Amino acid sequence: MTGTTTATHPPFTFQINLIESDETALAQAETVTTTTGNIRVPERRNLHTKTRPDVAKFLSSTDAAGQSKSDLIVTPGEGITNDALWMKGEGTLSEKDPNAEAEDRMKKLMSATLCGYLVRTNKLLTVTPLHTRYLGAVGDLVVGRVMAVQSKRWKVDVNSKQDASLALSSVHLPGGVQRRRLEEDSLQMRDMFSVGDMLVAEVQTVGADGQINLHSRSSKYGKLRDGCLFVVPSQLVVRSKSQFLRLPWDVDVVLGLNGNIWVQYGAKQAVSEDHVARAITGDDWLQEVSLDPRELYSNANHPITPEQREKISRTYNCVQALAQTSTPISETVLRCLYEASMMPRRAGEEMDATEVDASKGFFVYRASDVVRRKVMLKLVAEAKSRVAREARAAI
């Protein structure tokens, strides 16, 4: 028995829900008929031309001139502003909006072409991608790991698409001696930096192919010890006047613009007074000028007390909490988060936290509690509130 059987499938309808700040726009939907069925999609007319209230507030804020990086995430095709006052930068596109009202037809709408953070630099608007390799810029402070020792240079991993290069002629010699590098210096390169060492340096040049060349001629650059490394997306690190942070609880933090953050024991106690002459700089970072060649490139860590180790762990977990909540990392928010984690609380809020004074019913969070999901979200929200209050008080 031969024949042909045709299977018929009833048409189906499903709806695509978009997250929008304007709830009324979801009610204005149109039905689009395709070969597979009916798909309900929201009408794009009102969604494309309207600016989100939080974006409009960020653009209208009266911050100081310079770069201001927000925690606002924009998506491709989302309208940012139609004000001609703003200039489009990387990650944005300006075009006429055919769906605008008649009186606004001549205005150009700036929209995002990437999914990332909205950044304002004076009157220039750019979008920084959420996830990307570090590209490098002249003058950036980076934290990297030595991957190889080659002829008169070191290869350093700085989270870029290729390893950076640190030439022997671009390092700070022991004792601060200014002279030509000899063949003897080439034979002693592993005594300065060996494979696996952590270092902090500055970007000197960036080649056309993306090759990054570093230098560490200043006394504040060089080998890192007495600490631990945490890697975050480079877009989360806020560019500030100084990337060296001296925190009030005797912990130093180096915010590498390549996403590597180094948390270490306070330099004030880390090096003996016999071998180091110190000078306070304008950015309140304690520079160290080594008078002993063995101290500058030494691999020996200094003794750390349990109290100081707990402070390092708490600071490290604060950085981790900010990274997991996609919060831009700066000195202010890091300090506010640490202070929020140390604030005494009533025992009824979290029964599994360590009590400091059981008789009075108060406790503070342990260092390990900072990265617990529930506690982390609570502390980050408190830290942002503290930052907002300090900003209002400074006006």
Side-chain angles (χ1 to χ4, degrees):
M1 180 177 179
T2 61
T4 303
T5 304
T6 303
T8 59
H9 300 279
F12 59 90
T13 301
F14 62 93
Q15 184 174 357
I16 301 176
N17 295 323
L18 299 180
I19 301 176
E20 295 290 343
S21 57
D22 191 358
E23 297 179 356
T24 60
L26 293 178
Q28 303 174 354
E30 60 183 1
T31 302
V32 180
T33 304
T34 64
T35 57
T36 56
N38 297 327
I39 304 176
R40 278 175 66 88
V41 296
E43 189 179 4
R44 296 302 299 175
R45 182 184 61 185
N46 291 337
L47 298 182
H48 187 66
T49 58
K50 284 190 176 182
T51 302
R52 285 166 36 189
D54 51 356
V55 174
K57 182 179 179 181
F58 171 68
L59 297 180
S60 61
S61 60
T62 57
D63 293 340
Q67 187 180 64
S68 178
K69 184 174 182 179
S70 68
D71 55 355
L72 304 177
I73 297 178
V74 293
T75 56
E78 181 178 355
I80 299 177
T81 181
N82 58 359
D83 192 347
L85 180 66
W86 301 97
M87 298 182 297
K88 66 182 181 69
E90 185 178 357
T92 61
L93 175 67
S94 293
E95 58 182 356
K96 291 183 179 180
D97 186 8
N99 297 325
E101 302 296 336
E103 59 273 12
D104 296 333
R105 285 291 176 87
M106 299 305 297
K107 291 185 178 180
K108 289 188 176 182
L109 177 68
M110 184 185 301
S111 57
T113 60
L114 300 174
C115 181
Y117 296 98
L118 182 63
V119 181
R120 183 186 68 184
T121 306
N122 294 330
K123 296 301 180 182
L124 179 68
L125 296 180
T126 57
V127 177
T128 305
L130 290 177
H131 301 286
T132 182
R133 284 283 187 176
Y134 174 68
L135 300 178
V138 176
D140 283 359
L141 184 138
V142 297
V143 176
R145 185 187 300 273
V146 177
M147 303 302 295
V149 181
Q150 299 179 356
S151 176
K152 295 185 179 181
R153 65 176 181 174
W154 294 269
K155 303 300 288 185
V156 184
D157 180 15
V158 292
N159 293 339
S160 183
K161 60 182 180 180
Q162 53 184 324
D163 291 340
S165 177
L166 176 62
L168 177 61
S169 59
S170 300
V171 300
H172 185 74
L173 291 179
V177 180
Q178 300 293 335
R179 58 173 175 80
R180 291 188 59 182
R181 276 50 172 180
L182 306 176
E183 188 65 27
E184 298 177 357
D185 298 325
S186 301
L187 299 177
Q188 298 176 359
M189 288 180 57
R190 293 186 181 273
D191 296 336
M192 299 181 185
F193 299 110
S194 60
V195 176
D197 286 347
M198 299 298 303
L199 59 86
V200 55
E202 182 179 327
V203 177
Q204 185 175 19
T205 59
V206 180
D209 58 346
Q211 175 64 41
I212 299 175
N213 298 316
L214 307 176
H215 82 88
S216 61
R217 294 191 183 95
S218 176
S219 58
K220 60 183 178 181
Y221 303 140
K223 185 176 294 186
L224 295 173
R225 295 173 295 166
D226 303 316
C228 51
L229 175 70
F230 189 80
V231 182
V232 304
S234 59
Q235 296 77 20
L236 291 181
V237 181
V238 178
R239 186 187 301 271
S240 58
K241 181 180 178 181
S242 175
Q243 302 301 123
F244 295 98
L245 307 183
R246 165 57 54 85
L247 301 177
W249 49 92
D250 294 332
V251 172
D252 295 337
V253 178
V254 183
L255 297 179
L257 293 174
N258 59 331
N260 290 346
I261 298 179
W262 182 262
V263 183
Q264 70 177 14
Y265 187 42
K268 185 177 180 180
Q269 296 86 10
V271 187
S272 61
E273 295 285 349
D274 299 335
H275 301 299
V276 175
R278 299 180 175 87
I280 299 294
T281 60
D283 54 8
D284 199 26
W285 172 254
L286 198 60
Q287 293 193 16
E288 299 177 1
V289 183
S290 178
L291 303 180
D292 187 356
R294 296 171 299 179
E295 282 288 340
L296 185 61
Y297 295 107
S298 174
N299 292 322
N301 291 323
H302 298 84
I304 300 178
T305 62
E307 292 79 9
Q308 189 65 31
R309 192 180 300 273
E310 195 274 339
K311 294 179 181 179
I312 295 175
S313 301
R314 185 177 294 270
T315 306
Y316 181 92
N317 289 342
C318 288
V319 174
Q320 182 179 355
L322 294 175
Q324 291 184 2
T325 55
S326 299
T327 304
I329 302 173
S330 63
E331 179 181 5
T332 303
V333 68
L334 183 59
R335 174 178 53 81
C336 291
L337 180 57
Y338 188 94
E339 293 174 353
S341 67
M342 293 294 295
M343 186 175 62
R345 304 172 186 273
R346 294 190 178 275
E349 297 182 14
E350 288 286 342
M351 299 305 297
D352 57 346
T354 302
E355 294 188 5
V356 175
D357 193 343
S359 60
K360 296 182 180 180
F362 289 94
F363 72 93
V364 294
Y365 289 117
R366 298 184 296 255
S368 58
D369 294 332
V370 178
V371 292
R372 289 172 46 213
R373 185 66 180 174
K374 182 178 179 181
V375 178
M376 177 177 60
L377 297 177
K378 179 180 180 180
L379 293 179
V380 171
E382 293 181 4
K384 291 181 178 180
S385 300
R386 286 174 176 242
V387 173
R389 288 197 301 267
E390 292 183 0
R392 289 194 299 266
I395 298 177

